[in-house]
């Protein structure tokens, strides 16, 4: 996945209790109004309830759990805990708002304690801004979805190949990149391009003959 184990520490996040400890401190200084503007939990409610807008009545009957609502604060703790030297964070397109919240929390903390404890992280965006599900290209790839819809970091090359072979495509034989009319093929092209470190146009040129 592009990490050099000689230079990088790789570990299970759940083994580090400091994440939840810092998250609790951040929970105590983060306004509810900031979290209520986050789009991801709203999208989950709309998807589960098949609704178009969210009001107090919808919230009271939505089954929304605090863990999902406050998850961006935990994510901010994940980022800022290791950001004493780092200046940038690699993120997908859907995480831009989360990083903005992280910066807001860092600013609030620094002002409250009159120290520049946390630097403000900047995003690193790649050409693959959002990878979609291998089964449903209208949804982003997510670790909370079934195994065959996503590629895990610890998947073997054989398992990854099997997942790609079984992924959703379409009935057309030609290779074209059109995220609107051919989202499944476009998603596979994007994955191939970013893993081979080439452009989408190069993929099309390579496989259009």
């Amino acid at each position: 996945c592009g990490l050099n184990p000689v230079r990088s520490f790789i570990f299970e996040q759940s083994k580090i209790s400091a994440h939840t400890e810092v998250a609790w401190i951040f929970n105590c200084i983060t306004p509810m109004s900031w979290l209520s503007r986050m789009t991801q939990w709203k999208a989950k409610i709309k998807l589960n309830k098949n609704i178009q807008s969210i009001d107090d009545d919808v919230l009271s009957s939505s089954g929304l759990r605090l863990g999902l609502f406050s998850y961006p604060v935990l994510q901010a703790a994940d980022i800022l805990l290791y950001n004493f030297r780092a200046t940038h964070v690699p993120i997908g397109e859907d995480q831009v708002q989360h990083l903005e919240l992280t910066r807001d929390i860092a600013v609030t903390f620094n002002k409250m304690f009159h120290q520049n404890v946390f630097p403000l992280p900047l995003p690193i965006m790649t050409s693959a801004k959002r990878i979609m599900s291998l089964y449903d290209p209208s949804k982003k790839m997510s670790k909370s979805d079934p195994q065959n819809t996503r590629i895990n970091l610890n998947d073997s090359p054989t398992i990854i190949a099997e997942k790609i072979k079984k992924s959703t495509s379409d009935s057309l034989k030609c290779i074209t990149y059109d995220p609107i009319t051919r989202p499944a093929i476009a998603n596979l092209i994007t994955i191939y391009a970013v893993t081979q470190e080439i452009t989408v146009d190069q993929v099309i040129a390579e496989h259009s003959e």
Side-chain angles (χ1 to χ4, degrees):
C1 64
L3 296 177
N4 183 347
V6 176
R7 299 181 57 192
S8 305
F9 291 101
I10 303 174
F11 56 88
E12 289 186 48
Q13 182 186 44
S14 58
K15 302 289 186 180
I16 310 298
S17 61
H19 285 126
T20 51
E21 293 167 3
V22 174
W24 173 250
I25 295 173
F26 289 168
N27 274 325
C28 293
I29 66 173
T30 302
M32 294 279 287
S33 59
W34 289 4
L35 296 177
S36 67
R37 293 195 295 265
M38 305 302 288
T39 59
Q40 288 202 7
W41 67 265
K42 291 181 180 180
K44 286 184 179 294
I45 290 178
K46 290 179 180 179
L47 180 64
N48 294 338
K49 296 294 183 178
N50 193 27
I51 59 176
Q52 300 302 315
S53 61
I54 296 175
D55 54 25
D56 290 341
D57 291 336
V58 170
L59 284 178
S60 63
S61 62
S62 65
L64 173 66
R65 300 292 188 262
L66 177 61
L68 178 61
F69 186 72
S70 64
Y71 176 75
V73 179
L74 177 62
Q75 189 176 44
D78 299 341
I79 295 170
L80 295 175
L81 192 62
Y82 302 105
N83 203 48
F84 289 104
R85 295 183 180 178
T87 58
H88 292 73
V89 180
I91 60 172
E93 186 180 45
D94 58 313
Q95 295 298 319
V96 171
Q97 190 184 33
H98 284 218
L99 190 60
E100 291 173 350
L101 175 69
T102 298
R103 291 168 58 87
D104 289 339
I105 292 174
V107 168
T108 301
F109 185 97
N110 291 343
K111 287 183 177 180
M112 181 173 291
F113 295 98
H114 307 289
Q115 296 184 56
N116 290 323
V117 177
F118 298 111
L120 307 185
L122 297 172
I124 295 177
M125 303 290 290
T126 68
S127 57
K129 296 180 180 180
R130 183 176 299 198
I131 301 298
M132 312 307 285
S133 165
L134 297 177
Y135 179 76
D136 182 359
S138 67
K139 298 171 54 181
K140 72 169 186 173
M141 189 178 288
S142 172
K143 63 180 180 292
S144 60
D145 287 338
Q147 283 279 347
N148 61 335
T149 68
R150 66 181 193 265
I151 297 174
N152 300 311
L153 291 179
N154 58 351
D155 282 346
S156 68
T158 300
I159 291 176
I160 293 174
E162 287 299 318
K163 288 182 177 181
I164 294 294
K165 289 177 183 177
K166 295 178 181 179
S167 62
T168 300
S169 58
D170 57 40
S171 59
L172 300 179
K173 294 183 178 181
C174 59
I175 301 296
T176 60
Y177 183 80
D178 189 340
I180 302 301
T181 61
R182 304 188 69 189
I185 295 298
N187 187 44
L188 294 177
I189 291 174
T190 298
I191 294 173
Y192 181 77
V194 74
T195 55
Q196 298 300 309
E197 297 184 342
I198 59 178
T199 66
V200 167
D201 290 339
Q202 288 175 308
V203 176
I204 299 302
E206 180 180 338
H207 295 279
S208 60
E209 296 180 357

